[in-house]
Amino acid sequence: SNPKVLKVGAIPDQNQDVLDKRFNLFSKELSKRLNVEVKYIPVINYVAAVTGFRTKDLDLVWFGGLSGTQARLQTPGSIVLAQRDIDKKFKSVFIVNKNLKINPISRIQDLEKLKDLRFTFGSENSTSGRLMPQYFLGKAGIKIDDFKGKVGFSGSHDATIALVNSGAYDAGALNKQVWENNLQRSTKRTKNIKLFWVSPDYADYHWLAQGDLDERFSKGFTKKIRSIILNLDIKDPKHNEILNMFNAKKFISSEASLYNEIEEIGRKLKKIR
């Protein structure tokens, strides 16, 4: 592969057409500003994103909290660059099919009402669709074995919505921001679903860069990428389009220490070893 091509990747947390539009748009802007070739490389699942980063097949990746922590721990020298304004205090939602006679809850203990239902998470390595929901369920005393049948792993937040909406599963957990987007833009996809519970805050998505980009491209290259991301301005029409695709008003600085809680929970649930 050409070492002078900056390879951008992302966890496949939504439908591929959404991801293609978002990251091709972002890559085009980055290429123009850096004056280097930037290529978005789709991956098939979360594990492939982490592996691609570890093997240096991906240089700059949009990760979730868990996948980014896994990738960073497996790739010495990698650098957390930025997160969206919404990522410092991110949330998961639990949703249920409307056919169930269950009222929304406000207390974490009441998650026990989901016992004996058919339940699906998102990807097995999703922060907002698996790790944190499983953590919160555990706080309510619910184990995966307490659900009816085998627990599901839909693969993405959009797929979780589709499965609960169709009645294939009674309930599921996903990224709050994707849920709200679907409510606003696709009433058909959510017509059979109601919101059950909104989780407490935690840190989630972020950009992770390889530690050797300055050596491969030019001195100060990594700093320049961070500056371009942080200075995306909602008042600029092109930037506005990119930020809208990321469901954000701006990007803010981030650092590895913000994900200490995710690492701790990941180790507890044996998603990080």
Side-chain angles (χ1 to χ4, degrees), residues 13-227:
D13 61 341
Q14 293 183 71
N15 291 335
Q16 194 57 50
D17 56 343
V18 174
L19 300 178
D20 287 345
K21 187 175 179 186
R22 176 193 289 180
F23 292 103
N24 282 320
L25 205 63
F26 172 80
S27 297
K28 189 176 176 183
E29 178 66 17
L30 204 58
S31 178
K32 187 179 83 176
R33 301 284 300 280
L34 291 169
N35 199 28
V36 299
E37 186 181 347
V38 179
K39 187 177 181 184
Y40 165 54
I41 301 174
V43 296
I44 56 167
N45 55 37
Y46 283 53
V47 173
V50 173
T51 302
F53 192 80
R54 188 184 70 239
T55 58
K56 304 279 183 92
D57 291 317
L58 297 171
D59 301 315
L60 177 67
V61 180
W62 181 243
F63 280 118
L66 174 60
S67 53
T69 302
Q70 290 170 329
R72 179 168 46 81
L73 292 172
Q74 292 176 29
T75 316
S78 52
I79 304 162
V80 175
L81 291 185
Q83 60 183 181
R84 297 170 300 183
D85 48 358
I86 58 174
D87 288 316
K88 208 165 189 175
K89 294 185 175 180
F90 209 74
K91 298 174 192 287
S92 293
V93 294
F94 284 69
I95 55 173
V96 294
N97 188 283
K98 284 180 178 175
N99 289 328
L100 298 172
K101 306 302 177 199
I102 303 179
N103 292 321
I105 62 169
S106 56
R107 301 185 316 149
I108 194 169
Q109 297 93 322
D110 291 334
L111 284 172
E112 66 178 12
K113 291 181 181 180
L114 297 176
K115 275 186 178 181
D116 301 318
L117 297 180
R118 294 168 303 154
F119 188 89
T120 183
F121 293 106
S123 164
E124 291 194 46
N125 289 293
S126 170
T127 309
S128 53
R130 191 273 169 87
L131 182 78
M132 297 310 291
Q134 186 177 347
Y135 171 70
F136 295 128
L137 286 164
K139 279 190 163 273
I142 300 176
K143 300 183 184 73
I144 284 182
D145 294 343
D146 292 329
F147 293 114
K148 184 178 181 180
K150 194 174 180 183
V151 75
F153 292 101
S154 72
S156 76
H157 303 299
D158 289 326
T160 297
I161 288 173
L163 288 168
V164 177
N165 190 61
S166 71
Y169 284 90
D170 301 315
L174 70 146
N175 172 323
K176 180 173 181 276
Q177 165 252 310
V178 173
W179 164 246
E180 289 176 347
N181 274 2
N182 274 270
L183 273 181
Q184 291 166 14
R185 300 172 188 174
S186 186
T187 51
K188 190 178 176 184
R189 281 176 57 80
T190 58
K191 67 175 183 176
N192 300 320
I193 306 174
K194 60 184 175 183
L195 181 65
F196 181 64
W197 184 65
V198 180
S199 80
D201 299 338
Y202 53 88
D204 202 351
Y205 292 82
H206 55 281
W207 283 109
L208 188 69
Q210 295 286 357
D212 64 351
L213 296 183
D214 285 19
E215 294 165 35
R216 281 178 40 209
F217 290 90
S218 60
K219 190 178 176 183
F221 190 78
T222 307
K223 195 175 177 181
K224 195 170 180 183
I225 293 174
R226 178 187 267 134
S227 177

Side-chain angles (χ1 to χ4, degrees), residues 225-238:
I225 293 174
R226 178 187 267 134
S227 177
I228 291 166
I229 294 170
L230 295 181
N231 286 296
L232 288 171
D233 185 355
I234 203 163
K235 292 172 188 168
D236 179 308
K238 282 188 179 176

